[in-house]
Amino acid sequence: MTALQVFVDGIGLYAPGLDGWTHARAVLAAPQTYRATPLQLPSIDSLPAAERRRLGVAVKLAMAVAYDAAQASSADLQHLGTVFASSAGDCDNCHQILESLASPDRAISPTRFHNSVHNAAAGYWSIATGSQRPSTSLSAQDAGFGAALLEAASQIHSNAQSCLLVVFDTPYPEPLHTLRSVTHAFGVALLLTPVRSASTLCGLTISLTQTPIHPMPIPELEAMRGNVPAARALPLLSALATTQPQTLVIEYLQGLNLSITLQA
């Protein structure tokens, strides 16, 4: 695979103990300061009230990181292509639908069905921003962040336009949690561009490698990285927190990882 180069103009991040990029950047630059606190998300005021009432945690998380990344560089939201990825979408909504199907009347709420499609987060983003730009929604099990990063970088090289990358995961309630034990909610967004601008934080050169991954330096963050597919981004986010030129390796498919070189 030819190495792909893109530029990072904005970052969004919410997870337990990582409350937005400004807070998370300081924590990831000094990981011994990390404390696992409950997930806190801002209100999504850009959606009409009727739409906001339909949102579950998964879509709220995706919208929160998307807005933070896009607004960090004053991007034109109506003309911004997007790539969304999640291993399972809205897990709470899936649980509620399965409970309804197991009940005597088997009736499913239209809102539950509406939110069950995998591109629900992309749909709410389009409603909130008025964007009619192309959007891709991916699911790649534990390889979601790597697959989505490659998809976004490939689109940028194909059409020379900016792309908003949004990756999010939330835990299943029991009993599905026992079968698919994603342990935390985690959402990350990167506003990626084809050329360096005044808003650019750093450049990324991405290629495939079989080199072992870089783990996180403290057990709590390494456990999050290993147990949440979207959190496979943590080594990259830690590097972005320091913006120091370096090469790191993040997990992709089994036996095949992504080498990412940061240029200041």
Side-chain angles (χ1 to χ4, degrees), residues 79 95 98 153 236 254:
H79 298 91
H95 173 81
L98 292 174
L236 172 59
Q254 187 173 15

Side-chain angles (χ1 to χ4, degrees), residues 82-104:
T82 54
V83 172
F84 285 78
S86 177
S87 66
D90 190 333
C91 296
D92 289 322
N93 191 63
C94 177
H95 173 81
Q96 293 297 329
I97 288 175
L98 292 174
E99 280 202 329
S100 297
L101 289 173
S103 69

Side-chain angles (χ1 to χ4, degrees), residues 109-125:
S109 153
T111 299
R112 293 286 182 200
F113 181 77
H114 169 88
N115 286 341
S116 69
V117 295
H118 196 67
N119 63 349
Y124 281 111
W125 173 258

